[in-house]
Amino acid sequence: GSSPRGTWLVSDRTYTDFLLEFEFKLGPMGNSGVGLRFPALGDPAFDGLEVQMVDPRYYPEETIVGPEQLTGALYMGIAPDNQVYRPEEWNRYRILCEGSFVQIVLNGVLVVETELSEAVRALPQGSPLSARPLSGHIGFQELSRGDSQVQIRNATLREL
């Protein structure tokens, strides 16, 4: 957990091309993300990339949430092709960043494969994905409500 909500555990170093793998588990009000290639200053989700990790129950019932805000998404940018998140179970991410190519595999299922250089549309916040840095920090976010902190295990990072 974190206090205040919305804190990040951030790498000291910056990374460009890499393969990041880890397992995560969220409670019913769990919300987190993994920030990729973000600068030292600014919001990792909007000044770099964030791969979303959220239990759908995090959002109030009356809130309308788009697929680009669900687990597997490049947050607010690219929705996952499939929703294979398993609530309150261990889930596994495999995230490949190589140049402008990004591939996200969740629980063994390819959910996003994109060329950031082609993602030029304006977004509700931050610059288009094509304008985001190709090098930066990696970090894990804690944004859960109540006692639903994110758990991370078996994290490995391999530079390419």
Side-chain angles (χ1 to χ4, degrees):
S2 65
S3 183
R5 277 182 63 237
T7 57
W8 288 82
L9 176 65
V10 178
S11 66
D12 291 329
R13 292 187 45 219
T14 59
Y15 298 89
T16 303
D17 295 339
F18 56 87
L19 175 63
L20 174 64
E21 296 181 90
F22 64 94
E23 294 172 279
F24 70 96
K25 185 177 181 180
L26 299 168
M29 298 296 283
N31 188 348
S32 182
V34 58
L36 309 172
R37 297 172 164 171
F38 57 89
L41 299 175
D43 186 323
F46 301 110
D47 297 314
L49 301 172
E50 180 186 335
V51 178
Q52 177 69 307
M53 297 184 284
V54 65
D55 188 289
R57 295 170 287 184
Y58 171 83
Y59 298 108
E61 224 175 90
E62 65 278 0
T63 303
I64 298 172
V65 178
E68 70 284 347
Q69 293 175 274
L70 298 176
T71 299
L74 278 174
Y75 185 66
M76 298 302 289
I78 298 176
D81 290 335
N82 299 292
Q83 190 48 244
V84 293
Y85 168 72
R86 298 185 302 244
E88 298 184 68
E89 293 182 29
W90 285 102
N91 292 266
R92 182 170 184 76
Y93 264 136
R94 180 184 185 279
I95 302 168
L96 174 67
C97 292
E98 197 166 17
S100 66
F101 178 75
V102 175
Q103 182 184 71
I104 302 169
V105 175
L106 176 58
N107 296 326
V109 177
L110 179 64
V111 294
V112 170
E113 189 168 76
T114 190
E115 278 290 337
L116 297 175
S117 60
E118 297 171 5
V120 297
R121 78 176 166 88
L123 299 175
Q125 189 171 349
S127 56
L129 296 179
S130 61
R132 308 277 175 102
L134 295 180
S135 183
H137 296 276
I138 296 173
F140 293 101
Q141 178 191 49
E142 175 56 75
L143 193 61
S144 301
R145 292 188 175 119
D147 295 323
S148 293
Q149 290 82 21
V150 64
Q151 298 175 65
I152 307 286
R153 70 179 185 189
N154 299 322
T156 61
L157 175 67
R158 182 168 55 103
E159 289 187 85
L160 304 176

CSV table of all heavy atoms in Angstrom, one decimal, residues 52-93:
chain,number,residue,atom,x,y,z
A,52,GLN,N,-2.1,-0.7,-17.8
A,52,GLN,CA,-3.1,-0.6,-16.7
A,52,GLN,C,-3.2,-2.0,-16.0
A,52,GLN,O,-3.1,-3.0,-16.6
A,52,GLN,CB,-4.4,-0.2,-17.3
A,52,GLN,CG,-5.5,-0.2,-16.3
A,52,GLN,CD,-5.5,0.9,-15.3
A,52,GLN,OE1,-4.5,1.0,-14.6
A,52,GLN,NE2,-6.5,1.7,-15.2
A,53,MET,N,-3.4,-1.9,-14.7
A,53,MET,CA,-3.8,-3.0,-13.9
A,53,MET,C,-4.9,-2.5,-12.9
A,53,MET,O,-4.6,-1.7,-12.1
A,53,MET,CB,-2.6,-3.5,-13.0
A,53,MET,CG,-1.4,-4.0,-13.8
A,53,MET,SD,0.0,-4.6,-12.8
A,53,MET,CE,0.7,-3.2,-12.2
A,54,VAL,N,-6.1,-3.0,-13.2
A,54,VAL,CA,-7.2,-2.5,-12.4
A,54,VAL,C,-8.3,-3.6,-12.3
A,54,VAL,O,-8.6,-4.2,-13.3
A,54,VAL,CB,-7.8,-1.2,-12.9
A,54,VAL,CG1,-8.4,-1.4,-14.3
A,54,VAL,CG2,-8.8,-0.6,-12.0
A,55,ASP,N,-8.8,-3.8,-11.1
A,55,ASP,CA,-10.0,-4.6,-10.9
A,55,ASP,C,-11.2,-3.8,-11.3
A,55,ASP,O,-11.3,-2.6,-10.8
A,55,ASP,CB,-10.1,-5.1,-9.5
A,55,ASP,CG,-11.2,-6.1,-9.3
A,55,ASP,OD1,-12.4,-5.7,-9.4
A,55,ASP,OD2,-10.9,-7.3,-9.1
A,56,PRO,N,-12.1,-4.2,-12.2
A,56,PRO,CA,-13.2,-3.4,-12.6
A,56,PRO,C,-14.1,-2.9,-11.5
A,56,PRO,O,-14.7,-1.8,-11.6
A,56,PRO,CB,-14.0,-4.3,-13.5
A,56,PRO,CG,-13.1,-5.4,-14.0
A,56,PRO,CD,-12.1,-5.5,-12.9
A,57,ARG,N,-14.1,-3.5,-10.4
A,57,ARG,CA,-14.8,-3.1,-9.2
A,57,ARG,C,-14.3,-1.8,-8.6
A,57,ARG,O,-14.9,-1.2,-7.7
A,57,ARG,CB,-15.0,-4.2,-8.2
A,57,ARG,CG,-15.7,-5.4,-8.7
A,57,ARG,CD,-15.7,-6.6,-7.9
A,57,ARG,NE,-14.3,-7.2,-8.0
A,57,ARG,CZ,-13.9,-8.3,-7.4
A,57,ARG,NH1,-14.7,-9.0,-6.6
A,57,ARG,NH2,-12.7,-8.8,-7.5
A,58,TYR,N,-13.1,-1.4,-9.0
A,58,TYR,CA,-12.5,-0.2,-8.5
A,58,TYR,C,-13.3,1.0,-8.8
A,58,TYR,O,-13.5,1.9,-8.1
A,58,TYR,CB,-11.1,-0.1,-9.1
A,58,TYR,CG,-10.4,1.3,-8.8
A,58,TYR,CD1,-9.8,1.5,-7.6
A,58,TYR,CD2,-10.5,2.3,-9.8
A,58,TYR,CE1,-9.1,2.7,-7.4
A,58,TYR,CE2,-9.9,3.5,-9.5
A,58,TYR,CZ,-9.2,3.7,-8.4
A,58,TYR,OH,-8.6,4.9,-8.1
A,59,TYR,N,-13.9,0.9,-10.0
A,59,TYR,CA,-14.7,2.0,-10.5
A,59,TYR,C,-16.1,2.0,-9.9
A,59,TYR,O,-16.8,0.9,-9.9
A,59,TYR,CB,-14.8,2.0,-12.1
A,59,TYR,CG,-13.5,2.1,-12.8
A,59,TYR,CD1,-12.9,1.0,-13.4
A,59,TYR,CD2,-12.8,3.3,-12.8
A,59,TYR,CE1,-11.7,1.1,-14.0
A,59,TYR,CE2,-11.6,3.4,-13.4
A,59,TYR,CZ,-11.0,2.3,-14.0
A,59,TYR,OH,-9.8,2.5,-14.7
A,60,PRO,N,-16.7,3.1,-9.5
A,60,PRO,CA,-18.1,3.1,-9.0
A,60,PRO,C,-19.0,2.6,-10.1
A,60,PRO,O,-18.8,2.8,-11.3
A,60,PRO,CB,-18.3,4.6,-8.6
A,60,PRO,CG,-16.9,5.2,-8.5
A,60,PRO,CD,-16.0,4.4,-9.4
A,61,GLU,N,-20.1,2.0,-9.6
A,61,GLU,CA,-21.1,1.4,-10.6
A,61,GLU,C,-21.6,2.4,-11.6
A,61,GLU,O,-21.8,2.0,-12.8
A,61,GLU,CB,-22.3,0.9,-9.8
A,61,GLU,CG,-22.7,-0.5,-10.2
A,61,GLU,CD,-23.8,-1.1,-9.4
A,61,GLU,OE1,-25.0,-0.8,-9.6
A,61,GLU,OE2,-23.4,-1.8,-8.4
A,62,GLU,N,-21.8,3.7,-11.2
A,62,GLU,CA,-22.3,4.6,-12.2
A,62,GLU,C,-21.3,5.2,-13.1
A,62,GLU,O,-21.6,5.9,-14.1
A,62,GLU,CB,-23.0,5.8,-11.4
A,62,GLU,CG,-22.1,6.6,-10.5
A,62,GLU,CD,-21.7,6.0,-9.2
A,62,GLU,OE1,-22.2,4.9,-8.8
A,62,GLU,OE2,-20.9,6.7,-8.5
A,63,THR,N,-20.0,4.8,-12.9
A,63,THR,CA,-19.0,5.3,-13.8
A,63,THR,C,-18.9,4.5,-15.1
A,63,THR,O,-18.8,3.3,-15.1
A,63,THR,CB,-17.6,5.3,-13.1
A,63,THR,OG1,-17.7,6.0,-11.8
A,63,THR,CG2,-16.5,5.8,-13.9
A,64,ILE,N,-18.9,5.2,-16.2
A,64,ILE,CA,-18.7,4.6,-17.5
A,64,ILE,C,-17.2,4.6,-17.8
A,64,ILE,O,-16.6,5.6,-17.9
A,64,ILE,CB,-19.5,5.3,-18.6
A,64,ILE,CG1,-21.0,5.2,-18.2
A,64,ILE,CG2,-19.2,4.7,-20.0
A,64,ILE,CD1,-21.8,6.1,-19.2
A,65,VAL,N,-16.7,3.4,-18.0
A,65,VAL,CA,-15.2,3.2,-18.2
A,65,VAL,C,-15.0,2.6,-19.6
A,65,VAL,O,-15.6,1.6,-19.9
A,65,VAL,CB,-14.6,2.3,-17.1
A,65,VAL,CG1,-13.2,2.1,-17.4
A,65,VAL,CG2,-14.9,2.9,-15.7
A,66,GLY,N,-14.1,3.2,-20.3
A,66,GLY,CA,-13.8,2.7,-21.7
A,66,GLY,C,-12.8,1.6,-21.6
A,66,GLY,O,-12.1,1.4,-20.6
A,67,PRO,N,-12.7,0.8,-22.6
A,67,PRO,CA,-11.8,-0.4,-22.6
A,67,PRO,C,-10.3,0.0,-22.5
A,67,PRO,O,-9.5,-0.7,-22.1
A,67,PRO,CB,-12.0,-1.1,-23.9
A,67,PRO,CG,-12.7,-0.1,-24.8
A,67,PRO,CD,-13.4,0.9,-23.9
A,68,GLU,N,-10.0,1.3,-22.8
A,68,GLU,CA,-8.6,1.8,-22.7
A,68,GLU,C,-8.2,2.1,-21.3
A,68,GLU,O,-7.1,2.6,-21.0
A,68,GLU,CB,-8.4,3.0,-23.7
A,68,GLU,CG,-9.0,4.2,-23.3
A,68,GLU,CD,-10.6,4.3,-23.5
A,68,GLU,OE1,-11.1,3.4,-24.3
A,68,GLU,OE2,-11.2,5.2,-23.0
A,69,GLN,N,-9.2,1.9,-20.4
A,69,GLN,CA,-8.9,2.1,-18.9
A,69,GLN,C,-8.9,0.8,-18.2
A,69,GLN,O,-8.8,0.8,-16.9
A,69,GLN,CB,-10.0,3.0,-18.3
A,69,GLN,CG,-9.9,4.4,-18.9
A,69,GLN,CD,-11.1,5.2,-18.4
A,69,GLN,OE1,-12.2,5.2,-19.0
A,69,GLN,NE2,-10.9,5.9,-17.3
A,70,LEU,N,-9.0,-0.3,-18.9
A,70,LEU,CA,-9.0,-1.6,-18.2
A,70,LEU,C,-7.7,-2.3,-18.3
A,70,LEU,O,-6.8,-2.0,-19.0
A,70,LEU,CB,-10.1,-2.5,-18.9
A,70,LEU,CG,-11.6,-2.0,-18.7
A,70,LEU,CD1,-12.5,-2.9,-19.5
A,70,LEU,CD2,-12.0,-1.8,-17.3
A,71,THR,N,-7.6,-3.4,-17.5
A,71,THR,CA,-6.3,-4.2,-17.4
A,71,THR,C,-5.9,-4.6,-18.8
A,71,THR,O,-6.8,-5.1,-19.6
A,71,THR,CB,-6.5,-5.4,-16.5
A,71,THR,OG1,-6.8,-4.9,-15.2
A,71,THR,CG2,-5.2,-6.2,-16.5
A,72,GLY,N,-4.7,-4.4,-19.2
A,72,GLY,CA,-4.1,-4.8,-20.5
A,72,GLY,C,-4.0,-3.6,-21.4
A,72,GLY,O,-3.3,-3.7,-22.4
A,73,ALA,N,-4.6,-2.5,-21.1
A,73,ALA,CA,-4.5,-1.3,-21.9
A,73,ALA,C,-3.2,-0.6,-21.8
A,73,ALA,O,-2.6,-0.6,-20.7
A,73,ALA,CB,-5.7,-0.4,-21.6
A,74,LEU,N,-2.8,0.1,-22.8
A,74,LEU,CA,-1.9,1.2,-22.7
A,74,LEU,C,-2.8,2.3,-22.3
A,74,LEU,O,-3.6,2.9,-23.1
A,74,LEU,CB,-1.2,1.5,-24.0
A,74,LEU,CG,0.0,0.7,-24.3
A,74,LEU,CD1,0.6,1.0,-25.7
A,74,LEU,CD2,1.1,0.8,-23.3
A,75,TYR,N,-2.7,2.7,-21.0
A,75,TYR,CA,-3.7,3.5,-20.3
A,75,TYR,C,-4.1,4.8,-21.1
A,75,TYR,O,-3.3,5.5,-21.5
A,75,TYR,CB,-3.2,3.9,-19.0
A,75,TYR,CG,-4.2,4.7,-18.1
A,75,TYR,CD1,-5.4,4.1,-17.7
A,75,TYR,CD2,-4.0,6.0,-17.8
A,75,TYR,CE1,-6.4,4.8,-17.0
A,75,TYR,CE2,-5.0,6.7,-17.1
A,75,TYR,CZ,-6.1,6.1,-16.7
A,75,TYR,OH,-7.1,6.8,-15.9
A,76,MET,N,-5.4,4.9,-21.4
A,76,MET,CA,-6.0,6.0,-22.1
A,76,MET,C,-5.6,6.1,-23.6
A,76,MET,O,-5.9,7.0,-24.2
A,76,MET,CB,-5.8,7.3,-21.4
A,76,MET,CG,-6.4,7.3,-20.0
A,76,MET,SD,-8.2,7.0,-20.0
A,76,MET,CE,-8.8,8.5,-20.7
A,77,GLY,N,-4.8,5.1,-24.1
A,77,GLY,CA,-4.3,5.2,-25.4
A,77,GLY,C,-4.8,4.0,-26.3
A,77,GLY,O,-5.3,4.3,-27.4
A,78,ILE,N,-4.5,2.8,-25.9
A,78,ILE,CA,-4.8,1.6,-26.7
A,78,ILE,C,-5.5,0.6,-25.9
A,78,ILE,O,-4.9,0.1,-24.9
A,78,ILE,CB,-3.6,1.0,-27.4
A,78,ILE,CG1,-3.0,2.1,-28.4
A,78,ILE,CG2,-3.9,-0.2,-28.2
A,78,ILE,CD1,-1.7,1.7,-29.0
A,79,ALA,N,-6.7,0.2,-26.2
A,79,ALA,CA,-7.5,-0.8,-25.5
A,79,ALA,C,-6.9,-2.2,-25.8
A,79,ALA,O,-6.4,-2.5,-26.9
A,79,ALA,CB,-8.9,-0.8,-25.8
A,80,PRO,N,-7.0,-3.2,-24.8
A,80,PRO,CA,-6.6,-4.5,-25.1
A,80,PRO,C,-7.5,-5.2,-26.1
A,80,PRO,O,-8.7,-4.9,-26.1
A,80,PRO,CB,-6.6,-5.2,-23.7
A,80,PRO,CG,-7.6,-4.4,-23.0
A,80,PRO,CD,-7.5,-3.0,-23.5
A,81,ASP,N,-7.0,-6.1,-26.9
A,81,ASP,CA,-7.9,-6.9,-27.8
A,81,ASP,C,-8.8,-7.8,-27.1
A,81,ASP,O,-9.8,-8.2,-27.6
A,81,ASP,CB,-7.0,-7.6,-28.8
A,81,ASP,CG,-6.3,-6.7,-29.8
A,81,ASP,OD1,-6.8,-5.6,-30.1
A,81,ASP,OD2,-5.2,-7.1,-30.3
A,82,ASN,N,-8.3,-8.3,-26.0
A,82,ASN,CA,-9.0,-9.3,-25.2
A,82,ASN,C,-9.0,-8.9,-23.7
A,82,ASN,O,-8.0,-8.3,-23.3
A,82,ASN,CB,-8.4,-10.7,-25.3
A,82,ASN,CG,-8.4,-11.2,-26.7
A,82,ASN,OD1,-9.5,-11.5,-27.2
A,82,ASN,ND2,-7.3,-11.3,-27.3
A,83,GLN,N,-10.0,-9.2,-23.0
A,83,GLN,CA,-10.0,-8.9,-21.5
A,83,GLN,C,-9.9,-10.3,-20.8
A,83,GLN,O,-10.8,-11.0,-20.7
A,83,GLN,CB,-11.3,-8.2,-21.1
A,83,GLN,CG,-11.2,-7.7,-19.7
A,83,GLN,CD,-10.0,-6.9,-19.3
A,83,GLN,OE1,-9.2,-7.4,-18.5
A,83,GLN,NE2,-9.7,-5.8,-20.0
A,84,VAL,N,-8.6,-10.6,-20.4
A,84,VAL,CA,-8.4,-11.9,-19.8
A,84,VAL,C,-7.9,-11.7,-18.3
A,84,VAL,O,-7.3,-12.7,-17.8
A,84,VAL,CB,-7.3,-12.7,-20.6
A,84,VAL,CG1,-8.0,-13.0,-22.0
A,84,VAL,CG2,-6.1,-11.9,-20.8
A,85,TYR,N,-8.1,-10.6,-17.7
A,85,TYR,CA,-7.7,-10.3,-16.3
A,85,TYR,C,-8.6,-11.3,-15.4
A,85,TYR,O,-9.8,-11.5,-15.7
A,85,TYR,CB,-8.0,-8.9,-16.0
A,85,TYR,CG,-8.0,-8.6,-14.5
A,85,TYR,CD1,-6.8,-8.6,-13.8
A,85,TYR,CD2,-9.1,-8.4,-13.8
A,85,TYR,CE1,-6.7,-8.4,-12.4
A,85,TYR,CE2,-9.1,-8.1,-12.4
A,85,TYR,CZ,-7.9,-8.1,-11.7
A,85,TYR,OH,-7.8,-7.9,-10.4
A,86,ARG,N,-7.9,-11.8,-14.4
A,86,ARG,CA,-8.6,-12.8,-13.5
A,86,ARG,C,-8.6,-12.1,-12.1
A,86,ARG,O,-7.6,-12.0,-11.4
A,86,ARG,CB,-7.8,-14.1,-13.4
A,86,ARG,CG,-7.7,-14.8,-14.7
A,86,ARG,CD,-7.1,-16.2,-14.6
A,86,ARG,NE,-5.7,-16.1,-14.1
A,86,ARG,CZ,-4.6,-16.5,-14.8
A,86,ARG,NH1,-4.7,-16.9,-16.0
A,86,ARG,NH2,-3.5,-16.4,-14.2
A,87,PRO,N,-9.8,-11.6,-11.7
A,87,PRO,CA,-10.0,-10.9,-10.5
A,87,PRO,C,-9.5,-11.7,-9.3
A,87,PRO,O,-9.8,-12.9,-9.2
A,87,PRO,CB,-11.5,-10.6,-10.4
A,87,PRO,CG,-11.9,-10.6,-11.8
A,87,PRO,CD,-11.1,-11.6,-12.5
A,88,GLU,N,-8.8,-11.0,-8.4
A,88,GLU,CA,-8.3,-11.6,-7.1
A,88,GLU,C,-7.5,-12.8,-7.3
A,88,GLU,O,-7.3,-13.6,-6.3
A,88,GLU,CB,-9.5,-11.8,-6.2
A,88,GLU,CG,-10.2,-10.5,-5.8
A,88,GLU,CD,-11.3,-10.6,-4.8
A,88,GLU,OE1,-10.9,-11.0,-3.6
A,88,GLU,OE2,-12.4,-10.4,-5.2
A,89,GLU,N,-6.9,-13.1,-8.5
A,89,GLU,CA,-6.0,-14.2,-8.7
A,89,GLU,C,-4.6,-13.6,-9.2
A,89,GLU,O,-4.6,-12.4,-9.5
A,89,GLU,CB,-6.5,-15.1,-9.8
A,89,GLU,CG,-7.7,-15.8,-9.4
A,89,GLU,CD,-8.2,-16.8,-10.5
A,89,GLU,OE1,-7.3,-17.3,-11.3
A,89,GLU,OE2,-9.4,-17.0,-10.6
A,90,TRP,N,-3.6,-14.4,-9.2
A,90,TRP,CA,-2.3,-14.0,-9.8
A,90,TRP,C,-2.5,-13.9,-11.3
A,90,TRP,O,-3.0,-14.8,-11.9
A,90,TRP,CB,-1.2,-14.9,-9.4
A,90,TRP,CG,-0.8,-14.7,-7.9
A,90,TRP,CD1,-1.1,-15.4,-6.9
A,90,TRP,CD2,0.0,-13.6,-7.4
A,90,TRP,NE1,-0.6,-14.9,-5.7
A,90,TRP,CE2,0.1,-13.8,-6.0
A,90,TRP,CE3,0.6,-12.5,-8.0
A,90,TRP,CZ2,0.8,-12.9,-5.2
A,90,TRP,CZ3,1.3,-11.6,-7.2
A,90,TRP,CH2,1.4,-11.8,-5.8
A,91,ASN,N,-2.1,-12.8,-11.9
A,91,ASN,CA,-2.1,-12.6,-13.3
A,91,ASN,C,-0.6,-12.4,-13.7
A,91,ASN,O,0.2,-11.9,-12.9
A,91,ASN,CB,-2.9,-11.3,-13.6
A,91,ASN,CG,-4.4,-11.5,-13.4
A,91,ASN,OD1,-5.1,-11.9,-14.3
A,91,ASN,ND2,-4.8,-11.3,-12.1
A,92,ARG,N,-0.3,-12.6,-15.0
A,92,ARG,CA,1.1,-12.5,-15.4
A,92,ARG,C,1.1,-11.6,-16.7
A,92,ARG,O,0.4,-11.8,-17.6
A,92,ARG,CB,1.7,-13.8,-15.8
A,92,ARG,CG,3.1,-13.8,-16.2
A,92,ARG,CD,3.7,-15.2,-16.3
A,92,ARG,NE,5.1,-15.1,-16.6
A,92,ARG,CZ,6.1,-14.7,-15.8
A,92,ARG,NH1,5.8,-14.4,-14.6
A,92,ARG,NH2,7.3,-14.7,-16.2
A,93,TYR,N,2.0,-10.6,-16.6
A,93,TYR,CA,2.3,-9.7,-17.8
A,93,TYR,C,3.7,-10.1,-18.4
A,93,TYR,O,4.6,-10.4,-17.6
A,93,TYR,CB,2.4,-8.3,-17.3
A,93,TYR,CG,1.2,-7.5,-17.5
A,93,TYR,CD1,0.8,-6.6,-16.5
A,93,TYR,CD2,0.4,-7.5,-18.6
A,93,TYR,CE1,-0.4,-5.8,-16.6
A,93,TYR,CE2,-0.7,-6.7,-18.8
A,93,TYR,CZ,-1.1,-5.9,-17.8
A,93,TYR,OH,-2.2,-5.1,-17.9
